[in-house]
Amino acid sequence: MENVGKKRSRPRRSFTAQFKAEIVELCQRGDRTIRQVSQDFDLTETAVREWVKQAELDSGARTDGLTSDERDELAQLRRENRRLREDVDILKRATAFFAKETR
């Protein structure tokens, strides 16, 4: 069976914050569209749009999402919350165990 019309998936690449900032700056200058910048640098248009959106959130130009600092804090709080839930679960099991032992 042929893959008609299907794009081949590309390996996931990572980019430095400086590179992303430079791409965002190119997009915000206005002399090229996001699509053109994406094609010129062999990037996915979706990724570049996300970089531009995040830069606008971080600068306060947009308010319809989380800033990078807020995202980092949320991730840290979720990790801490998960760890605390695990601690509570362990304490509950230990309490039940010792309650049985003392009877």
Side-chain angles (χ1 to χ4, degrees):
M1 184 171 187
E2 256 184 77
N3 286 338
V4 176
K6 295 223 177 189
K7 290 184 178 179
R8 289 187 16 210
S9 64
R10 64 175 9 166
R12 187 166 185 85
R13 300 180 292 171
S14 62
F15 303 96
T16 65
Q18 181 180 352
F19 177 78
K20 290 178 184 180
E22 290 171 4
I23 295 297
V24 167
E25 187 180 327
L26 285 173
C27 293
Q28 290 176 334
R29 275 192 206 151
D31 53 341
R32 288 189 279 182
T33 65
I34 290 177
R35 172 172 280 157
Q36 288 170 325
V37 172
S38 302
Q39 290 171 345
D40 291 348
F41 288 88
D42 189 31
L43 301 166
T44 64
E45 191 174 341
T46 303
V48 175
R49 285 190 188 285
E50 284 299 314
W51 298 348
V52 170
K53 178 182 177 185
Q54 192 62 55
E56 290 171 349
L57 287 166
D58 291 347
S59 71
R62 290 178 78 135
T63 58
D64 60 335
L66 299 176
T67 65
S68 293
D69 288 343
E70 290 169 332
R71 283 180 183 276
D72 292 344
E73 181 183 14
L74 180 59
Q76 184 267 329
L77 289 171
R78 284 180 173 164
R79 283 190 302 272
E80 184 179 350
N81 194 9
R82 185 171 39 255
R83 186 183 51 77
L84 291 171
R85 286 178 191 269
E86 291 168 358
D87 290 353
V88 166
D89 188 46
I90 290 168
L91 290 172
K92 282 181 183 177
R93 287 190 303 228
T95 301
F97 173 78
F98 287 118
K100 279 188 204 173
E101 291 293 314
T102 57
R103 287 186 185 154

